[in-house]
Amino acid sequence: MTLLEDIGAGVRLLWGLPSFLRTPLSPPEARQILAQRLARREDDFLDLMRRAVFGTTRSPYRRLLAHAGCTYDDLAVLVRREGLEGALQTLYASGVYVTVDEFKGRRPVVRGSLQMTIEPTAFGNPLVAVQIPTLSSGSRGHRTVAGTSLAHLRDQAVGMCLFVQARGPHPRVQGHCGVPGGSALHGLLRNYYAGLPLGAWFSHVDPAARDLHPRYRWSIRVVRWGAWLAGRPFPRPHYIRPDDPMPIIDWLVSVRRRGLVPHLRSTPSTAVLVCQAASDAGIDISGVEFMPGGEPLTPARMQVIARAGVRAAALYASVESGHIGYGCLAPTASDDVHLLSDLQAVIQPGPSSRDPSLPADAVLLTSLRPSAPFILLNVSSGDQGRLEQRVCGCPVEVVGWTAHLHTIRSYGKLTTAGMTFLDADLTRVLEEVLPARFGGGPTHYQLVEEEQAGGHASLRLLVHPAVGPVDPDAVADAFFSAIGSAPGAAKVMELFWRDAGVLRVERRAPMATATGKIQHLHQHRKSTER
């Protein structure tokens, strides 16, 4: 974004914040809104397609739909005949879908005779004025804006309000722990509008760090100014090292002493660290609520959290779509979530997938709300999971969300400690940057993502012995510097991973797949997760 666009977004945010914060949702209002949305899913989808796809010449979906021979009238007939998910499945079979690499502009779209390279900005919602910009890492030169509006946060707050109520009628206060950026601000404001007052704000990266873009400092100030104008002052973000959870534990204990339930939003890695440290110190944090998201909530991580008496329910979300699913309260898996079917539709390619880059159980998202930051039409999230309809009987199902997704894992991207890096970007670092600095070839370096005993996230950077003598610390430093070469989210990732100590360098040959392939990213999963 240009400086002028930054200023414009900040002014729009500051102008709208006071009224946003003064009028939070009530559960009865949220129930009424959700019921209307669920009843109008097909109509809302068609209206969004009419306005944001067929109504604008810049939409890449217009060419995909035209290539499939689908006009707006054809789409309307298809939806009425087959239902929303059935229509989306038919569109996928006709080539109307977008992979992660296509969405990011890293690979051209090829559907038979149709070929086009799409700039990521083309997927932006033309109906939305950005108020909270969120930038991708831009490590390959494509720093795309995933801007959010307060209208989008209002839309998502409906589900959060009802989900929190489903967890029990206790008075709650929210705590947020993460890194600076638009995603943090989204969560703070969304939860506040959903009826969760903000009690503490923890940051694993110092927002005042000189290497960070000034946007991070100014966005925090604008939000705090807007909260002050609304008479709802927000606390300052409190910088804590990733390996020092005691400030979080102290806050959890203080909130419980006041008779309130702390509702902490963090990554699963942070949740594990907090619970383990509290147990080791003999501190009772039972009865608090965690909503871990941003990386897999695996069985091992859930066991550590549960042993501390903490009630954890997974959050499944993405920068492009916002919230996708909230944790089931009678789960069959540690990351079992109810899909928020009022916000988006979800389908999967299935065993007869027409695209070899998409697993059969890949998650394809489609937008339903006019406030969505991006218009998604069968867009791959880069994740895969098990999608099913089942009756669980939990209070979240009673709200109206009946579809479940669990065993959610990424493919073609690295997600560690809540930070995501695409495999296409790792290619540059592992095939070009490190060999140029230390020697060797494109198959001599590999990242291994795994989970250590106790649920802690871990990354191993394997360096083949054929490379010759190298300094492990120098290799790690070169890796971090390469991924943090852009000043936006990539720099946040670099600073956080450095402080968190998630990376260690090992001298050994990279791991090969069963077919002999040496992938840039090897994701090691325990047998208990399969």
Side-chain angles (χ1 to χ4, degrees):
M1 297 181 72
T2 66
L3 177 60
L4 187 60
E5 289 171 325
D6 268 346
I7 293 173
V11 169
R12 289 190 293 271
L13 177 60
L14 186 58
W15 180 263
L17 261 181
S19 61
F20 176 87
L21 295 174
R22 288 193 196 107
T23 55
L25 269 177
S26 68
E29 289 176 309
R31 281 193 293 270
Q32 182 180 15
I33 293 171
L34 179 63
Q36 292 172 345
R37 288 182 187 171
L38 293 177
R40 289 184 47 85
R41 288 181 79 234
E42 295 180 357
D43 290 336
D44 287 346
F45 166 73
L46 290 172
D47 183 64
L48 185 60
M49 292 298 103
R50 178 181 60 80
R51 298 167 61 196
V53 173
F54 290 95
T56 175
T57 57
R58 66 189 292 265
S59 172
Y61 302 116
R62 285 190 62 164
R63 293 186 64 184
L64 283 172
L65 288 162
H67 181 71
C70 183
T71 66
Y72 175 78
D73 289 340
D74 295 330
L75 182 61
V77 171
L78 184 66
V79 170
R80 302 304 184 203
R81 184 179 70 235
E82 301 186 17
L84 179 53
E85 279 73 16
L88 293 174
Q89 208 76 53
T90 299
L91 290 178
Y92 170 77
S94 301
V96 182
Y97 65 90
V98 179
T99 68
V100 170
D101 283 343
E102 293 167 348
F103 186 85
K104 295 292 184 179
R106 293 179 172 89
R107 191 181 79 184
V109 174
V110 178
R111 306 286 187 270
S113 60
L114 173 65
Q115 295 190 30
M116 58 178 176
T117 299
I118 307 171
E119 285 296 318
T121 53
F123 294 100
N125 188 344
L127 310 177
V128 169
V130 173
Q131 291 173 295
I132 308 175
T134 302
L135 269 66
S136 65
S137 65
S139 52
R140 288 180 63 87
H142 298 288
R143 301 179 63 221
T144 58
V145 177
T148 295
S149 65
L150 292 177
H152 181 55
L153 300 186
R154 285 192 182 94
D155 275 347
Q156 293 187 97
V158 170
M160 177 59 71
C161 177
L162 296 175
F163 174 74
V164 169
Q165 186 187 46
R167 299 190 79 169
H170 318 290
R172 292 174 175 83
V173 59
Q174 71 161 312
H176 183 93
C177 181
V179 297
S183 295
L185 300 181
H186 300 171
L188 295 172
L189 296 174
R190 178 197 305 112
N191 289 359
Y192 191 97
Y193 189 73
L196 283 170
L198 178 60
W201 184 353
F202 303 102
S203 176
H204 283 317
V205 171
D206 186 355
R210 289 185 304 171
D211 290 341
L212 291 184
H213 193 286
R215 178 184 299 110
Y216 292 97
R217 293 190 294 276
W218 281 105
S219 60
I220 291 171
R221 290 172 185 169
V222 167
V223 166
R224 296 190 72 236
W225 290 341
W228 180 81
L229 289 173
R232 310 284 195 272
F234 277 13
R236 294 178 183 274
H238 178 52
Y239 168 58
I240 60 172
R241 288 185 56 84
D243 58 356
D244 179 19
M246 286 310 299
I248 301 175
I249 295 172
D250 291 341
W251 177 75
L252 295 173
V253 171
S254 69
V255 172
R256 291 293 284 155
R257 285 174 179 163
R258 302 202 313 266
L260 303 174
V261 175
H263 184 95
L264 182 69
R265 167 74 179 93
S266 74
T267 65
S269 296
T270 297
V272 166
L273 188 64
V274 168
C275 292
Q276 190 63 61
S279 298
D280 292 344
I283 300 174
D284 182 12
I285 59 171
S286 60
V288 308
E289 295 176 350
F290 283 1
M291 197 169 190
E295 60 179 333
L297 181 58
T298 62
R301 290 169 177 169
M302 184 63 98
Q303 288 170 9
V304 174
I305 296 170
R307 280 199 299 267
V310 171
R311 300 193 297 265
L315 167 66
Y316 179 40
S318 74
V319 170
E320 292 78 14
S321 66
H323 287 187
I324 302 170
Y326 293 152
C328 179
L329 302 183
T332 60
S334 56
D335 63 347
D336 188 358
V337 299
H338 287 267
L339 292 175
L340 307 180
S341 51
D342 58 309
L343 299 180
Q344 58 264 312
V346 176
I347 66 165
Q348 295 181 309
S352 57
S353 175
R354 59 171 289 149
D355 192 316
S357 69
L358 290 174
D361 56 355
V363 176
L364 303 181
L365 300 171
T366 295
S367 308
L368 299 183
R369 307 303 311 152
S371 66
F374 286 103
I375 299 299
L376 307 179
L377 178 57
N378 282 344
V379 174
S380 169
S381 67
D383 294 325
Q384 58 194 95
R386 298 179 185 174
L387 177 63
E388 61 186 23
Q389 293 280 349
R390 68 178 180 86
V391 177
C392 67
C394 90
V396 182
E397 179 185 70
V398 174
V399 168
W401 301 305
T402 58
H404 291 252
L405 185 72
H406 64 85
T407 317
I408 306 164
R409 301 293 183 266
S410 62
Y411 64 91
K413 64 180 181 178
L414 169 65
T415 303
T416 297
M419 305 298 290
T420 298
F421 203 71
L422 291 174
D423 183 50
D425 299 327
L426 292 174
T427 301
R428 176 183 64 88
V429 177
L430 299 177
E431 287 196 355
E432 300 174 18
V433 176
L434 296 184
R437 171 80 180 274
F438 301 101
T443 62
H444 286 158
Y445 299 86
Q446 183 185 56
L447 270 181
V448 178
E449 179 193 13
E450 62 184 3
E451 182 181 294
Q452 297 175 333
H456 296 288
S458 173
L459 280 179
R460 288 187 289 153
L461 176 53
L462 305 186
V463 182
H464 201 291
V467 172
V470 295
D471 179 356
D473 291 338
V475 174
D477 182 70
F479 172 80
F480 284 130
S481 297
I483 67 169
S485 57
K491 178 58 67 174
V492 175
M493 183 186 304
E494 176 201 347
L495 296 175
F496 179 49
W497 278 358
R498 282 185 187 269
D499 281 350
V502 299
L503 180 72
R504 69 180 189 271
V505 176
E506 292 186 8
R507 298 306 307 276
R508 56 158 295 176
M511 299 180 183
T513 66
T515 59
K517 295 180 180 178
I518 297 178
Q519 300 173 322
H520 303 106
L521 172 62
H522 182 88
Q523 294 171 307
H524 180 66
R525 303 300 183 197
K526 296 182 178 180
S527 58
T528 55
E529 294 182 33
R530 298 192 182 105

